[in-house]
Amino acid sequence: MRGLLLCCFVALAASQNLRYDISLNPKKTYEYKYEGEVNFGLGKPNLAESGVRIICKATIKGVSEQTFLLQVSELSFAEYNGFADENGYIPSPKVIKRLAAELAKPFMFEHANGHVGDIHASAEVSTAVVNIVRGILGFFQVTVKTTQNIYELEETGIHGKCQSNYAIEENEETKDWVITQVVDVNNCKEKAAMYRGMATTVVDKLSKERGDSVISIMRYNYTIKPTAEGGLINRAHGLERQHFSAFNVKGGSFKMQATKNLILLSVSDLARASTYGPLESKGNIVYKFEDEDINIPILMQNLDDPVPKAIELIKRLAEANSESIDSNTTEDSIKVYQLMRVIPYEGLENMWKQLAENPMYRRWILDCTVEVGDAKVLNFLEARFKEKDLTPVEAWQTLLLAFHHVEVTPELVEMAKVFLKLPFSRSNTYLWQTVALSYGSLVNKYCAGYTPCPVTAVQPLLDMATEALRSGNKEEMVVALKALGNAGHPGSMKTIMRYLPGVAATPVDLPLWVQSAAVNAMRLITTRDPHNVQDITMALFLQKDLPSEVRMLAFRILFDTKPSMALVSTVTAHLLEERDLQVASFAYSYLQGFAKSRTPDNHYLSISSSLAVKILAPRLGRLSYYHSKAKHVDWFDDGWLAGLSSEFFMLRNVNNIIPSEIMAKDKLHFIGRIIELMELGIRAEGIKDLFGAGIPGFKGDFSMSDLMAIFSVLQKWETMEDDKPVLSVYSRVSGQEWFFADMSKETLRNIITALSPASWKSSPLLSTIESLQRGISWDFTRSFLTWEARYIQATTLGLPVEISKYYNSITAINFNAKVAVNPPPTESPGQLLNSEMILETDGFAGVTKDFWVFYGINTKLFQSGSELKTKNPTAVPWKLSAKINIPEMKFELDFPPCKEEIQLFSIRSDLFAVSRNIEEPDSAKMTSIMPPSDDPRDDVLKPNTWHPTSRICYECPVTAMGLCMEYELKRQYYYEEYPLYYVLGYSNMALKMVPAQTMKAVDKIHFELDAGPSRHPMSAHQLLATLRRLSKAQNSTTEAVFNFKAFAISENQTPEGYDAAMYYTPEASIQNAQLIVSQVGENTNWKMCVDTSLDAEAKVHVRWGAECQTYDMSMKASAAYLNGSKPEVRAKVQWNSVSEYMAEIGRRIERYIPGMAFLYGFSQENERNPEKEASARVVAAWTDSVDVKIKLPEYTVYSRAMSFPVTWSSQWPHNTTNSTLY
């Protein structure tokens, strides 16, 4: 009895000493079986997937109290690619051997209180392998609280510093704890993730409220056995799921499922201490990135000895794509980019020496070098600038692309400053502008990745701006301000303010075009320091004594900051008092656009703008297009999570008839990012002043007298100011200004001088003509990586999951041309007006675009995932001869008929499950995600299948040519996958030119336009006599205003084709014209006669068929003011007889209109109208709405006060063209 009680007490004491917190005993050896697996696909049956699996034994031994050794053995690596019911995991012995060689080395790690500390390994062990070890050790990174069964905390794991939620349950029988840990990997503070190629995009936080393109879920399950030393992991399971869509994940998604398992095999006493060589620190448990720029996810190749491989590929690509584009080789350019990224700087110099002498190879090495993307490319360009072995054009093109494609680091910014000091940079105006603008872009990318961004990065540009202001160099001021605008650094605000009127501490008298550049220099600071920009732009806008253009530009920048409702209300209050109609019209029209905006970034601004418009409409709602305008239109779809927006700006002032500035830009809204696609602008500074407030003698009908009035003003160009640009243009891409040009008065003088007879002998135009007479050839090819956007994130396995988009294009243009000029212009360019020119030319123009989207695992050892691959070649070959007789105004064009099939345009796309590994780079597995058969397995839910195919051809036997369009689409989808299924599957579309079947051989196709100045108007009586004799092209003796012929010409045969002649027969105030089209050939009498007249209304009468007698119809339209105020447009179509084809089209339209009319809010009256007549009437109900009424034979549809997408100019009910309202 005493013994039994003793046993009970011992057992009770032992149970009270058991611990659950995770701990490793340094005197024990733990053996685990580890299995990790990741799969990629759509998560639907019958569709191909890919994946990898790693299985090994993990042995953990104690080294010291908190230091342990991990040894990996019995490694297995297998790849999966295909369909679930047909394929399984296949081991890859070569990859196993390579992985095992590194994983067999010892890994030492620190572990205490359930957390993994520093990891150490041999120096030769790669980061990719250490990351796999992190995936194993991640199971030992778990926080166990014995006082709570539900808790949450922020802790460090393989994904970074993330929020974890824990739940603990106890197994009553075994006393084991079952712990569930859920990690929020979507919102980690210090996330193990990286972006590439998206520095110039703007994050749209509000779009997250409408959906997301990537969502991740991470869950761990542990079975913990209590021991006296601490909790022992008996079994653990990790599951990570990620959903990715190119659109919104709500509408279907690609899926990643990563699972890993850890099973305890044995625990034993440590037999003896382990030995290991020197180890170095590899960091903590958080995933580490390495060589991501080199690991391009869409290919895998052996990167050993890269220089000869790159040279061979460049030569092959250059030769294959010189005279045309070989679309089968274009993807090899990505291989070159990857090789260039691993070549050291010395290797780049070696390649340059070997290839630079050959013009064809020279272009390719420069195009490929810019994609190196690191410090090597700056070293390479610095050497070129110092040795001056690039032309200015080569230099600015290469530097522009290199600076925009480089991955910016603090060290690289310091290196780039050198280019601002090199003498070669200032050897050419456009080269210097490119250097300054590109450096600004580099700073902008730097600030996107480093916060706060040190002001030292932008200091060289600040110094430029300060020095230009001190010296009064206006051209240098503009260059510096535009570069600061590209940089978008908040630290540049003080310098920019020195250029702004009304806010500068020490005002400086600067021309308007410099002030405009200063206002625009704040455009990118709006997202980094919006409040400061708001203060300055609001101050500019409210100063009524400033130039209208400055105030309008300030208003535009103000709204780029997304002002609050309070600020918009303040603006509205001031607009109610605004006396400058240019400013008022600009602001009001901009507010109108925002009021209708649907993009997420303008959600709150749209609300405040709509209220402002309602307040301002009674006062400003009737301003015309004679005033400044700012238009904003956009579209956004929540399902696609994508949209487009466009803006147009026209700045005017009351003193000038020509606008001061015109700008237009487009933005793409895509999966939470805003990308500024393109912005173009033109500023007519000098021309605006030349024309002033009006043109003497200008009536507005653009008659000859109007043209002479414009010409007489242009003759006064010498009166323009010498230091003011005549015309300025600029272009921006992704928000970055990459080009601008100012035409100075001196440039205009040089152009006029070059065209004058006195300078004709030395004119570059004469040299060009002489070169063309001798014959010229030109060959241009460019490879351009337009887009490389990547997002890489750690997975629980220690493998990186990557979402990448690559867009590469190869453009080729080559031609041969020779011109004969008779008589040649030996004395002046005016002689060309009395010459006949014959041009012989042949060539090719085309572009092939390759686009990839990759979603999967991408390491330097293997890749596995889903890949969308699209190829889009466009090709236009030509061979033709043209004759231009300027004195007789006769133009002829001849080209040979199509002898073989020519593919003009095609697009081919497919989605693949891909598997690649570095040991077998040429044996990549790419399985189309669609099954070979359209029939799914019987045991799965059947999807919707769509597999249309078509080939439509139109042949023109006269020209012996035809056009064919063919397409094939293959889709399998489920309704919940909208809109993702639009891009899932196989697509092939093509437009081809093909030979047509003809009765006789065609030697050439001939076009001729005869518009000789001797043509004179004829009377109606003359035309009537001509029509009576019509058999125009051989029998008529009356000359037409112009004559156009299109013939197929065969040797010793009558030409076949069409002859069109137009006659002009004015009578009093009525403008009459007739067009007669005749088919030319044997045994044909088809003609079409078109009579037109224009007086109070426009009338057209069309007859066609045999001698214009078979069919006829007439149309008329008129515009007037209803009741003297409201604009009205009327149109009517009547027909007596039409072809059955046209009648069927009319019946289809008549059936289609009621449904569409109902969708747009029209009402319908089922009243009988004239049988062979249709009419429409549109009356302006207000400046932004119309009344519409459409009558068809069977019914009438109408709508009142129908909203119109844009407002139009209106002078009713009173004239508002004055500069002020009061």
Side-chain angles (χ1 to χ4, degrees):
M1 185 66 179
R2 290 179 181 176
L4 179 61
L5 286 174
L6 180 62
C7 290
C8 289
F9 283 130
V10 171
L12 179 61
S15 65
Q16 290 176 341
N17 290 330
L18 295 180
R19 292 168 47 197
Y20 286 91
D21 54 305
I22 303 298
S23 179
L24 292 172
N25 189 333
K27 299 178 181 180
K28 299 284 188 180
T29 298
Y30 303 88
E31 283 194 348
Y32 285 95
K33 178 184 179 183
Y34 172 82
E35 180 176 332
E37 182 180 307
V38 60
N39 290 306
F40 290 89
L42 291 170
K44 299 293 183 182
N46 211 48
L47 297 179
E49 295 185 349
S50 65
V52 296
R53 176 187 290 165
I54 298 174
I55 301 175
C56 66
K57 179 190 287 187
T59 303
I60 298 174
K61 299 179 180 180
V63 176
S64 66
E65 192 66 29
Q66 295 185 356
T67 306
F68 299 86
L69 206 63
L70 171 67
Q71 292 178 315
V72 177
S73 60
E74 300 178 17
L75 178 70
S76 172
F77 176 87
E79 296 175 304
Y80 167 74
N81 189 286
F83 300 92
D85 57 342
E86 300 175 8
N87 307 97
Y89 278 92
I90 301 174
S92 179
K94 293 182 179 179
V95 178
I96 292 173
K97 183 179 179 181
R98 180 158 178 170
L99 274 174
E102 294 191 51
L103 283 171
K105 299 181 183 299
F107 296 86
M108 190 168 67
F109 66 98
E110 298 169 359
H111 188 268
N113 300 321
H115 289 86
V116 178
D118 235 19
I119 301 172
H120 293 73
S122 300
E124 60 268 23
V125 177
S126 65
T127 301
V129 170
V130 176
N131 282 328
I132 294 175
V133 170
R134 287 186 172 100
I136 299 172
L137 294 179
F139 275 126
F140 298 90
Q141 184 84 355
V142 56
T143 302
V144 179
K145 291 189 176 183
T146 58
T147 57
Q148 296 173 266
N149 58 3
I150 294 179
Y151 53 96
E152 63 180 48
L153 50 86
E154 190 175 68
E155 61 184 349
T156 300
I158 195 168
H159 294 94
K161 193 172 184 179
C162 311
Q163 191 76 16
S164 290
N165 293 269
Y166 285 88
I168 300 176
E169 296 181 47
E170 184 175 5
N171 187 315
E172 294 294 336
E173 294 181 3
T174 64
K175 301 302 179 181
D176 291 347
W177 275 9
V178 177
I179 301 177
T180 300
Q181 177 191 9
V182 177
V183 183
D184 182 6
V185 296
N186 297 301
N187 302 297
C188 300
K189 286 186 178 179
E190 299 172 11
K191 193 172 185 177
M194 65 181 299
Y195 292 92
R196 284 288 186 266
M198 291 181 275
T200 56
T201 64
V202 178
V203 177
D204 186 0
K205 296 180 180 178
L206 291 177
S207 73
K208 298 285 186 180
E209 299 175 4
R210 305 193 185 185
D212 210 337
S213 61
V214 182
I215 294 177
S216 300
I217 302 167
M218 181 70 240
R219 186 184 76 235
Y220 293 99
N221 290 103
Y222 298 89
T223 301
I224 307 297
K225 180 181 180 180
T227 70
E229 294 86 7
L232 176 64
I233 299 177
N234 250 354
R235 181 184 297 270
H237 171 73
L239 171 63
E240 182 175 9
R241 285 196 176 118
Q242 189 178 78
H243 299 260
F244 159 70
S245 173
F247 314 108
N248 194 332
V249 291
K250 295 178 181 178
S253 63
F254 293 91
K255 296 172 179 63
M256 177 200 78
Q257 178 167 296
T259 60
K260 62 180 184 179
N261 294 282
L262 191 71
I263 301 173
L264 180 64
L265 300 178
S266 67
V267 180
S268 60
D269 293 331
L270 186 62
R272 57 184 176 85
S274 300
T275 59
Y276 49 87
L279 304 178
E280 66 179 23
S281 175
K282 299 291 185 177
N284 61 4
I285 192 68
V286 179
Y287 180 92
K288 300 296 184 291
F289 293 96
E290 178 193 46
D291 296 334
E292 272 64 35
D293 294 329
I294 296 174
N295 300 333
I296 295 179
I298 55 176
L299 62 90
M300 190 156 272
Q301 62 178 329
N302 191 323
L303 300 178
D304 297 336
D305 197 17
V307 171
K309 292 178 182 177
I311 290 175
E312 181 187 353
L313 274 173
I314 284 176
K315 289 182 177 180
R316 190 194 311 165
L317 282 166
E319 291 162 4
N321 297 282
S322 59
E323 296 182 359
S324 62
I325 296 180
D326 184 356
S327 295
N328 296 320
T329 67
T330 55
E331 297 173 30
D332 287 343
S333 56
I334 304 292
K335 291 185 177 180
V336 180
Y337 303 155
Q338 187 181 36
L339 289 168
M340 299 289 277
R341 290 178 182 180
V342 299
I343 293 174
Y345 165 67
E346 294 76 15
L348 295 178
E349 286 290 335
N350 182 30
M351 291 180 64
W352 173 253
K353 292 174 182 176
Q354 293 188 52
L355 301 175
E357 296 302 319
N358 185 303
M360 190 163 54
Y361 301 158
R362 181 186 181 96
R363 288 196 306 269
W364 274 91
I365 186 174
L366 289 175
D367 291 342
C368 294
T369 301
V370 301
E371 305 305 340
V372 169
D374 60 23
K376 297 195 297 287
V377 69
L378 296 192
N379 288 328
F380 177 81
L381 282 176
E382 183 181 348
R384 305 283 72 73
F385 274 49
K386 288 180 177 178
E387 295 177 17
K388 300 180 181 179
D389 52 4
L390 293 179
T391 67
V393 174
E394 288 176 333
W396 76 256
Q397 288 180 349
T398 308
L399 181 132
L400 174 71
L401 296 178
F403 273 42
H404 281 77
H405 288 192
V406 77
E407 286 301 326
V408 187
T409 63
E411 297 76 18
L412 194 140
V413 172
E414 291 300 316
M415 293 176 61
K417 292 179 181 179
V418 174
F419 291 89
L420 296 171
K421 302 175 182 177
L422 291 174
F424 183 68
S425 297
R426 289 184 177 268
S427 64
N428 177 275
T429 299
Y430 293 111
L431 176 57
W432 170 239
Q433 292 175 357
T434 301
V435 169
L437 293 176
S438 298
Y439 181 80
S441 299
L442 198 74
V443 174
N444 181 66
K445 293 173 66 176
Y446 178 47
C447 293
Y450 294 84
T451 305
C453 185
V455 75
T456 54
V458 78
Q459 192 62 49
L461 301 180
L462 298 178
D463 295 340
M464 280 176 55
T466 302
E467 175 59 24
L469 194 62
R470 187 196 63 79
S471 63
N473 188 331
K474 298 181 179 63
E475 289 76 16
E476 193 74 354
M477 292 181 194
V478 172
V479 173
L481 288 168
K482 286 178 176 289
L484 287 172
N486 276 359
H489 195 294
S492 61
M493 286 297 291
K494 290 183 179 179
T495 302
I496 294 171
M497 286 174 63
R498 297 178 63 183
Y499 283 84
L500 296 173
V503 297
T506 306
V508 181
D509 186 18
L510 295 172
L512 185 59
W513 52 285
V514 176
Q515 295 178 2
S516 171
V519 176
N520 276 307
M522 296 184 286
R523 69 183 190 277
L524 295 183
I525 308 176
T526 54
T527 58
R528 291 172 180 160
D529 189 6
H531 297 297
N532 198 9
V533 175
Q534 287 174 357
D535 292 342
I536 296 172
T537 53
M538 193 68 176
L540 292 171
F541 176 69
L542 295 181
Q543 295 185 60
K544 301 185 185 300
D545 57 336
L546 294 183
S548 301
E549 291 92 332
V550 172
R551 297 180 65 199
M552 288 184 281
L553 286 173
F555 187 86
R556 174 195 174 185
I557 301 298
L558 172 64
F559 272 69
D560 282 347
T561 67
K562 310 301 178 188
S564 64
M565 182 171 286
L567 197 54
V568 174
S569 299
T570 303
V571 169
T572 305
H574 283 277
L575 286 174
L576 287 171
E577 306 296 328
E578 182 60 58
R579 299 181 64 84
D580 188 334
L581 286 190
Q582 300 297 338
V583 175
S585 175
F586 183 91
Y588 177 74
S589 58
Y590 207 24
L591 286 166
Q592 277 185 310
F594 282 120
K596 299 177 181 179
S597 178
R598 294 294 178 266
T599 56
D601 63 315
N602 289 330
H603 177 73
Y604 298 108
L605 184 57
S606 177
I607 297 172
S608 54
S609 296
S610 63
L611 295 176
V613 168
K614 292 176 182 178
I615 296 170
L616 296 171
R619 184 173 185 270
L620 303 177
R622 301 168 183 170
L623 296 177
S624 71
Y625 276 94
Y626 291 105
H627 299 93
S628 301
K629 295 293 178 184
K631 293 296 181 183
H632 175 98
V633 293
D634 60 43
W635 163 87
F636 191 87
D637 184 84
D638 288 354
W640 293 87
L641 208 61
L644 288 169
S645 63
S646 297
E647 291 185 337
F648 173 81
F649 305 94
M650 181 176 67
L651 279 64
R652 311 176 68 105
N653 66 45
V654 68
N655 299 318
N656 299 100
I657 187 173
I658 292 180
S660 307
E661 195 165 357
I662 294 176
M663 299 167 284
K665 72 174 182 178
D666 297 310
K667 293 181 182 179
L668 172 66
H669 300 252
F670 190 57
I671 57 176
R673 296 268 174 168
I674 302 174
I675 305 168
E676 293 195 15
L677 299 176
M678 175 73 78
E679 181 174 350
L680 299 172
I682 181 169
R683 185 175 183 84
E685 190 73 28
I687 293 178
K688 174 196 69 174
D689 295 341
L690 181 65
F691 281 89
I695 304 173
F698 186 81
K699 301 175 183 177
D701 58 0
F702 290 96
S703 60
M704 183 57 68
S705 62
D706 275 359
L707 296 178
M708 293 303 298
I710 294 173
F711 183 70
S712 64
V713 174
L714 291 174
Q715 286 181 314
K716 303 175 183 177
W717 65 273
E718 285 282 7
T719 62
M720 291 188 293
E721 298 179 26
D722 289 334
D723 63 344
K724 181 180 291 187
V726 177
L727 195 70
S728 302
V729 295
Y730 75 85
S731 174
R732 295 174 187 151
V733 177
S734 295
Q736 296 295 300
E737 189 159 338
W738 66 277
F739 170 81
F740 77 94
D742 294 330
M743 176 184 282
S744 65
K745 184 178 176 181
E746 184 62 26
T747 304
L748 184 61
R749 182 181 288 112
N750 293 337
I751 294 173
I752 294 174
T753 301
L755 295 175
S756 64
S759 306
W760 181 241
K761 296 292 185 181
S762 59
S763 171
L765 179 59
L766 179 60
S767 300
T768 302
I769 293 173
E770 291 174 345
S771 297
L772 285 168
Q773 288 177 306
R774 293 190 296 267
I776 62 170
S777 296
W778 191 58
D779 187 10
F780 170 84
T781 307
R782 162 145 288 170
S783 179
F784 182 36
L785 184 59
T786 309
W787 199 12
E788 182 182 20
R790 304 172 68 184
Y791 171 68
I792 309 169
Q793 176 185 319
T795 68
T796 185
L797 302 181
L799 302 175
V801 59
E802 176 165 347
I803 301 168
S804 297
K805 302 175 184 70
Y806 281 77
Y807 177 30
N808 189 72
S809 64
I810 292 183
T811 305
I813 303 173
N814 66 80
F815 65 85
N816 302 303
K818 190 172 184 179
V819 174
V821 183
N822 186 29
T826 56
E827 302 298 328
S828 73
Q831 289 181 285
L832 289 172
L833 300 177
N834 297 309
S835 300
E836 180 183 75
M837 291 181 282
I838 300 175
L839 167 68
E840 300 281 345
T841 179
D842 62 88
F844 170 89
V847 59
T848 294
K849 303 172 184 177
D850 291 292
F851 180 69
W852 297 266
V853 177
F854 176 86
Y855 176 54
I857 296 297
N858 175 32
T859 73
K860 68 177 184 180
L861 301 176
F862 54 86
Q863 297 169 349
S864 177
S866 301
E867 184 175 297
L868 177 69
K869 187 176 178 181
T870 301
K871 187 177 287 289
N872 174 208
T874 301
V876 182
W878 74 83
K879 183 178 181 180
L880 57 88
S881 63
K883 182 187 291 184
I884 305 173
N885 192 315
I886 299 178
E888 297 183 9
M889 294 297 288
K890 183 179 290 187
F891 309 92
E892 298 181 28
L893 182 67
D894 295 302
F895 59 89
C898 180
K899 298 294 186 182
E900 59 184 16
E901 183 176 284
I902 300 173
Q903 185 168 278
L904 301 176
F905 172 88
S906 71
I907 182 167
R908 183 186 180 95
S909 178
D910 204 355
L911 180 63
F912 300 94
V914 298
S915 298
R916 306 182 182 97
N917 69 69
I918 194 61
E919 295 299 324
E920 302 167 301
D922 298 327
S923 302
K925 302 178 184 69
M926 297 187 67
T927 305
S928 179
I929 202 165
M930 301 293 293
S933 171
D934 290 341
D935 299 325
R937 303 198 319 263
D938 294 334
D939 59 337
V940 301
L941 179 66
K942 290 188 177 181
N944 299 286
T945 301
W946 191 43
H947 190 180
T949 60
S950 178
R951 179 180 170 92
I952 303 171
C953 291
Y954 172 77
E955 292 188 350
C956 181
V958 171
T959 60
M961 291 187 296
L963 281 177
C964 288
M965 187 184 76
E966 59 188 31
Y967 67 86
E968 179 183 6
L969 304 174
K970 193 175 182 182
R971 302 284 188 273
Q972 279 192 8
Y973 62 93
Y974 300 81
Y975 286 118
E976 67 269 20
E977 289 179 335
Y978 172 86
L980 184 65
Y981 70 80
Y982 275 100
V983 298
L984 300 186
Y986 173 78
S987 305
N988 185 26
M989 291 174 278
L991 179 66
K992 301 177 180 179
M993 182 181 291
V994 298
Q997 297 293 328
T998 58
M999 298 297 294
K1000 53 188 177 182
V1002 175
D1003 295 326
K1004 66 177 179 178
I1005 311 301
H1006 178 79
F1007 292 101
E1008 183 178 323
L1009 175 63
D1010 190 355
S1014 62
R1015 311 299 189 196
H1016 53 78
M1018 65 173 68
S1019 67
H1021 296 293
Q1022 287 177 307
L1023 178 64
L1024 184 60
T1026 300
L1027 294 176
R1028 286 172 181 166
R1029 297 195 305 271
L1030 186 64
S1031 61
K1032 293 190 261 82
Q1034 290 82 18
N1035 296 338
S1036 175
T1037 59
T1038 306
E1039 292 182 331
V1041 177
F1042 76 80
N1043 185 268
F1044 178 76
K1045 298 183 175 73
F1047 291 156
I1049 298 177
S1050 304
E1051 187 176 1
N1052 300 323
Q1053 299 285 333
T1054 303
E1056 293 186 352
Y1058 294 91
D1059 189 334
M1062 185 173 182
Y1063 304 88
Y1064 178 51
T1065 58
E1067 293 182 358
S1069 61
I1070 304 176
Q1071 305 293 319
N1072 294 328
Q1074 290 76 31
L1075 174 68
I1076 301 173
V1077 181
S1078 306
Q1079 186 174 3
V1080 177
E1082 299 176 356
N1083 303 320
T1084 180
N1085 63 353
W1086 184 94
K1087 294 181 178 65
M1088 179 173 69
C1089 303
V1090 182
D1091 300 313
T1092 66
S1093 66
L1094 179 64
D1095 50 6
E1097 63 179 3
K1099 299 178 182 177
V1100 179
H1101 186 201
V1102 185
R1103 294 170 291 137
W1104 70 99
E1107 299 293 346
C1108 294
Q1109 300 298 315
T1110 310
Y1111 309 110
D1112 80 289
M1113 65 188 303
S1114 61
M1115 294 156 277
K1116 60 182 179 180
S1118 62
Y1121 280 85
L1122 188 65
N1123 299 326
S1125 61
K1126 294 186 177 181
E1128 176 192 33
V1129 176
R1130 294 173 180 260
K1132 182 182 290 186
V1133 180
Q1134 296 173 310
W1135 60 91
N1136 292 323
S1137 59
V1138 294
S1139 66
E1140 181 57 32
Y1141 175 72
M1142 294 183 65
E1144 177 58 27
I1145 292 177
R1147 287 190 289 268
R1148 291 183 181 182
I1149 294 174
E1150 194 171 30
R1151 292 193 298 267
Y1152 176 76
I1153 285 179
M1156 292 303 298
F1158 176 77
L1159 289 177
Y1160 283 93
F1162 279 70
S1163 301
Q1164 181 172 332
E1165 293 178 354
N1166 292 320
E1167 61 179 8
R1168 298 287 298 182
N1169 295 314
E1171 183 179 355
K1172 296 184 177 182
E1173 179 179 298
S1175 63
R1177 179 185 177 210
V1178 180
V1179 180
W1182 196 245
T1183 58
D1184 59 353
S1185 62
V1186 293
D1187 295 338
V1188 182
K1189 192 169 189 177
I1190 301 173
K1191 289 187 176 183
L1192 294 171
E1194 299 294 331
Y1195 55 82
T1196 299
V1197 294
Y1198 62 92
S1199 176
R1200 292 191 175 92
M1202 181 181 176
S1203 177
F1204 205 65
V1206 296
T1207 57
W1208 53 82
S1209 61
S1210 172
Q1211 304 303 316
W1212 49 279
H1214 56 79
N1215 193 313
T1216 59
T1217 60
N1218 296 324
S1219 62
T1220 61
L1221 284 174
Y1222 306 105

